[in-house]
Amino acid sequence: MDPHLLRTYVTVARLASFSDAARELGYTQSAVSQQIAALEQDLGAPLLTRRPVAPTAAGDRLLEHAGPLLLRLDAARADVVRMAAAPEHGLTLATAATALAPRVLAALPPSGVTLRVLPRDEVPAAVATGTADLGLVDGLAAPSDPLRLPDVAPLTTYGVGEEPVRVLLPDTHPLAHRTGLRLGDLADARWLDAPDAGLPLAQLRAANGGQGFRRAMRYEGTDVRTLTALAAAGHGLTLLPCSAATEVPGTVAVPVVEPRVVHRTELVYAGAPGGAAAVAEALVGRL
C-alpha cells in the first residue's frame, strides 16, 4: 500500500470533500480522484461514496489502521533525520499538564528549553515524530508499575517519580472531613471529566474494575487551576497528584487509601544516546 495514496485518502475522508482535500494537499481535484481510485484498485474495495463523500465500511476499517501506520512512518523518518542532524542548540520538552510537578520543574536545565504542554495522549507521538526532543507522560498506576504507552515508535522510558493521589472535593461535601477515601466508594459520585488537566476518568474506572465514574461536566483545557475552581464550585470531583491538589478556598484534598495507586511520571525520548538523550539522562539523575 502506497503511503502517499493513504495520506490522500485520510485527507479526503477527514474533509469529506475531494476539492477541499486538493486545496489542502496542493493537488488538482482530478489528481486526488486518481489517487483514491488507485488505492481502491490496489485494495480491491470501494473506500468512499461520492455523493456525499463518506467512507464505506471498508473505508472506515482502513481509517482505523491509517492513523497508526502514518504515525509510524513519520516516526521512522524523524528517527533517521535525528541521527543525521547537527548538534542541538536547544531542547523541546512536550509534557502533560499534570506531569509538571515542582520537583520536575526544578530539575529542568536553566536555559535552552522550550516547554510545550500537550494533551496527555499526544506526548509520545510528538517525541516519536520529532516535534519534541523529550516527553513527560503521566498517569495512574500501581506502585512501581510502568505506564502503558501507545505503540507509536521505539521509545526509551525512565520512571522519574511517583506520588500519592488525592480526591479534590468541595469542603461542604459529606466526605470532605474523612482522613482517607476508597475510590470504589466514589464510583457513583459526580465527576469532572478533565483528561488533560486531571487524571482521566478511564484510568479511575480501570482501577475500579471498569465500573462507575460518570461525567458531570467535561473540561477540555490543560489549566489545573481552572479544574480546581470547577471542583470548588461544586461541578464535580477530580483526582489529582498530591503536588497538584493544592487546596483552594472551598475545597479539601483527601488521600486515596484504596486501591494502592500512585501518580507516576515517566520521561520518554527516541533515538540513540547523545543530544537530547544525554540531557534526559542528566535530568533523570537530578530527579
Side-chain angles (χ1 to χ4, degrees):
M1 187 189 312
D2 187 338
H4 179 72
L5 302 181
L6 185 59
R7 289 186 190 279
T8 298
Y9 168 68
V10 169
T11 305
V12 174
R14 173 170 54 84
L15 298 176
S17 169
F18 281 76
S19 58
D20 289 347
R23 280 191 292 270
E24 181 171 307
L25 296 170
Y27 301 141
T28 64
Q29 184 171 337
S30 61
V32 169
S33 297
Q34 290 169 10
Q35 290 178 37
I36 298 300
L39 183 60
E40 290 177 323
Q41 182 176 5
D42 179 32
L43 295 176
L47 301 174
L48 293 166
T49 60
R50 269 41 177 189
R51 293 184 181 179
V53 176
T56 62
D60 276 329
R61 182 59 57 87
L62 180 60
L63 287 174
E64 293 176 9
H65 292 284
L69 285 170
L70 294 175
L71 179 58
R72 194 77 180 201
L73 287 171
D74 289 340
R77 174 184 291 275
D79 203 17
V80 173
V81 170
R82 189 184 293 112
M83 291 183 67
E88 301 167 78
H89 299 287
L91 181 73
T92 298
L93 174 64
T95 178
T98 45
L100 291 174
R103 61 192 297 271
V104 173
L105 293 172
L108 292 175
S111 62
V113 175
T114 298
L115 196 62
R116 182 177 299 153
V117 178
L118 296 176
R120 180 180 284 103
D121 292 341
E122 294 180 14
V123 173
V127 175
T129 57
T131 59
D133 302 297
L134 302 171
L136 280 170
V137 293
D138 69 331
L140 198 65
S144 301
D145 274 5
L147 298 176
R148 294 182 179 180
L149 299 182
D151 183 21
V152 296
L155 296 175
T156 300
T157 64
Y158 291 100
V160 298
E162 292 182 353
E163 60 176 321
V165 291
R166 294 184 176 182
V167 178
L168 195 69
L169 62 169
D171 57 12
T172 56
H173 195 281
L175 301 177
H177 301 293
R178 295 280 187 92
T179 57
L181 291 170
R182 296 185 303 176
L183 275 183
D185 293 339
L186 303 172
D188 294 327
R190 299 172 67 252
W191 283 84
L192 289 163
D193 183 16
D196 299 312
L199 291 169
L201 295 187
Q203 295 185 8
L204 275 67
R205 293 189 193 101
N208 192 51
Q211 303 297 319
F213 301 98
R214 60 191 176 91
R215 178 179 72 187
M217 176 184 288
R218 182 173 175 87
Y219 171 55
E220 296 185 349
T222 59
D223 186 359
V224 178
R225 291 175 300 178
T226 300
L227 178 60
T228 59
L230 289 170
H235 291 295
L237 311 184
T238 189
L239 187 70
L240 291 169
C242 185
S243 60
T246 304
E247 294 181 17
V248 297
T251 69
V252 175
V254 182
V256 171
V257 295
E258 187 181 320
R260 291 187 64 235
V261 289
V262 295
H263 172 255
R264 179 175 173 86
T265 302
E266 295 181 356
L267 188 71
V268 299
Y269 74 83
V279 176
E281 292 167 357
L283 182 59
V284 171
R286 294 179 64 182
L287 288 168

